[in-house]
Amino acid sequence: RSPKVQKQYEEIGGSPIRKWTEYQGEELAKMLDKVRPESAPHKSYVCFRYAHPLTEEALTKMKADGVERAIAFSQFPHWSCTTTGSSMNELWRQVKSMGMENDIKWSLIDRWPLHPKFIDSVVGRMAEKMKEFDESSQGKVVVVFSAHSVPMKVVAKGDVYVNEVSATCKAIMEKWEAVGNKNKHIVAWQSKVGFMPWMVPSTEDTIKSLGKKGAKHVLVVPIAFTTDHIETLYEIGIEYAEEAEEAGITNFKFTEGLNDSPMFIDALTDIVSKHLDEETNHSVQYSQKCLNCQKPMCRQIINPAF
């Protein structure tokens, strides 16, 4: 990590993403043991693309434990070649390099942008934070859904991430309005890196624009993030909060990650249970490569369960 990024981690007390991901995995396994004893015992293994524990570390533990059946469950609700796609490709590379092609039967949960309990989990976090606004101002709150951005060259290849994020936000607002709330909303994109064109509008520009238009109450809802980490706690909680204050937004708040949400644990449990019941290797869309994709590992599955 660069000194700048290291300082950001220090300001938020370190990233909690591993803690929350491991917690969610452990709670998921406990719930599955209860609701689906026919496939018990269940155990979760966590791996990250660029941080420990890495994919090979998880595979080493799985091999030592004698695992014969596994589900590669992406914790990105929305598919993108830059996230889930990259992680799946790394999984298959490591399976091959470690000579584990025949050790484990695999299936994949590669996306779940519209799962009802996932939608309910986000709505629940919004309701919790909305209570912190004065009752008289709650109807004036502008909801900004903030997702990690992607380069426009990725969008141009037919990557479905932007579509799936937008579909999630639409479903959330439909549920939000169904329970009696009425708030304006916008989908924005954060965490751009480098000088190439990325998806817009940026969250930063959106906040500045809302301030210029006279908005005083803004609720940012991190979307496509299922746990708190540097993009939520520092980028939204510190940087964008400062931008909002400078823009004249007097009441700026952001929702907590799904972290230890019981509804979210229920969502994960339901997603895995239905996946096991359906006996499918992956979603139909998984095998659809992006336009002109030539990557040999992309959209593969080694030793499929079905």
Side-chain angles (χ1 to χ4, degrees), residues 14-171:
S15 175
I17 187 170
R18 178 172 179 174
K19 178 187 79 171
W20 287 126
T21 305
E22 289 179 341
Y23 171 84
Q24 290 166 354
E26 290 164 2
E27 292 302 304
L28 166 62
K30 291 176 187 176
M31 288 291 290
L32 285 170
D33 284 346
K34 292 178 182 178
V35 304
R36 213 174 186 286
E38 63 271 29
S39 56
H42 303 88
K43 184 173 181 179
S44 66
Y45 298 83
V46 172
C47 62
F48 297 100
R49 185 68 179 87
Y50 299 109
H52 294 286
L54 297 168
T55 304
E56 56 265 39
E57 295 175 71
L59 287 172
T60 298
K61 288 183 179 179
M62 293 169 73
K63 186 169 185 176
D65 288 347
V67 173
E68 297 179 353
R69 171 74 172 95
I71 301 169
F73 187 6
S74 172
Q75 291 306 288
F76 297 105
H78 314 91
W79 172 276
S80 175
C81 289
T82 62
T83 54
T84 303
S86 174
S87 297
M88 294 297 180
N89 289 351
E90 175 66 6
L91 173 62
W92 307 135
R93 277 193 293 268
Q94 293 300 329
V95 166
K96 281 190 170 183
S97 70
M98 296 172 69
M100 295 177 62
E101 294 96 323
N102 299 311
D103 291 355
I104 300 173
K105 290 282 187 180
W106 291 94
S107 62
L108 318 176
I109 299 175
D110 49 84
R111 70 200 74 202
W112 32 283
L114 295 175
H115 190 277
K117 290 184 179 180
F118 166 52
I119 301 301
D120 287 345
S121 300
V122 181
V123 170
R125 287 299 196 222
M126 290 170 61
E128 290 170 2
K129 191 57 65 171
M130 191 64 75
K131 292 177 183 176
E132 297 181 13
F133 291 90
D134 290 338
E135 190 172 344
S136 60
S137 64
Q138 288 177 4
K140 302 173 185 176
V141 175
V142 180
V143 175
V144 177
F145 291 102
S146 185
H148 200 295
S149 192
V150 287
M152 287 306 298
K153 69 176 185 178
V154 173
V155 179
K157 290 178 181 178
D159 190 287
V160 297
Y161 173 73
V162 171
N163 297 339
E164 291 188 359
V165 168
S166 299
T168 294
C169 296
K170 181 175 185 293

Side-chain angles (χ1 to χ4, degrees), residues 54-300:
L54 297 168
T55 304
E56 56 265 39
E57 295 175 71
L59 287 172
T60 298
K61 288 183 179 179
M62 293 169 73
K63 186 169 185 176
D65 288 347
V67 173
E68 297 179 353
R69 171 74 172 95
I71 301 169
F73 187 6
S74 172
Q75 291 306 288
F76 297 105
H78 314 91
W79 172 276
S80 175
C81 289
T82 62
T83 54
T84 303
S86 174
S87 297
M88 294 297 180
N89 289 351
E90 175 66 6
L91 173 62
W92 307 135
R93 277 193 293 268
Q94 293 300 329
V95 166
K96 281 190 170 183
S97 70
M98 296 172 69
M100 295 177 62
E101 294 96 323
N102 299 311
D103 291 355
I104 300 173
K105 290 282 187 180
W106 291 94
S107 62
L108 318 176
I109 299 175
D110 49 84
R111 70 200 74 202
W112 32 283
L114 295 175
H115 190 277
K117 290 184 179 180
F118 166 52
I119 301 301
D120 287 345
S121 300
V122 181
V123 170
R125 287 299 196 222
M126 290 170 61
E128 290 170 2
K129 191 57 65 171
M130 191 64 75
K131 292 177 183 176
E132 297 181 13
F133 291 90
D134 290 338
E135 190 172 344
S136 60
S137 64
Q138 288 177 4
K140 302 173 185 176
V141 175
V142 180
V143 175
V144 177
F145 291 102
S146 185
H148 200 295
S149 192
V150 287
M152 287 306 298
K153 69 176 185 178
V154 173
V155 179
K157 290 178 181 178
D159 190 287
V160 297
Y161 173 73
V162 171
N163 297 339
E164 291 188 359
V165 168
S166 299
T168 294
C169 296
K170 181 175 185 293
I172 290 168
M173 289 309 297
E174 287 175 349
K175 185 62 182 282
W176 184 247
E177 292 172 5
V179 294
N181 301 295
K182 293 187 182 297
N183 295 90
K184 297 176 183 177
H185 76 281
I186 187 169
V187 181
W189 309 88
Q190 67 176 87
S191 309
K192 174 186 174 181
V193 178
F195 298 98
M196 295 179 64
W198 283 52
M199 189 63 196
V200 292
S202 72
T203 305
E204 181 180 1
D205 287 346
T206 297
I207 290 169
K208 290 178 180 177
S209 177
L210 288 172
K212 287 180 181 178
K213 291 180 178 181
K216 297 299 180 184
H217 313 284
V218 171
L219 175 62
V220 176
V221 180
I223 201 74
F225 304 104
T226 58
T227 64
D228 278 323
H229 52 302
I230 195 168
E231 281 91 348
T232 61
L233 299 177
Y234 185 86
E235 196 168 350
I236 297 175
I238 296 177
E239 289 186 334
Y240 294 159
E242 292 173 355
E243 295 281 359
E245 185 177 4
E246 291 175 8
I249 297 169
T250 55
N251 211 351
F252 176 90
K253 301 184 187 299
F254 68 103
T255 58
E256 180 186 353
L258 298 179
N259 300 342
D260 59 349
S261 161
M263 178 61 75
F264 184 59
I265 302 301
D266 284 346
L268 297 178
T269 304
D270 194 53
I271 291 166
V272 175
S273 295
K274 288 182 177 177
H275 174 76
L276 288 168
D277 290 342
E278 289 169 358
E279 297 187 347
T280 55
N281 289 320
H282 48 68
S283 71
V284 173
Q285 195 69 11
Y286 177 73
S287 57
Q288 176 65 47
K289 286 191 174 187
C290 291
L291 302 176
N292 303 315
C293 178
Q294 301 296 325
K295 295 179 181 178
M297 294 301 300
C298 195
R299 311 301 176 100
Q300 300 297 307

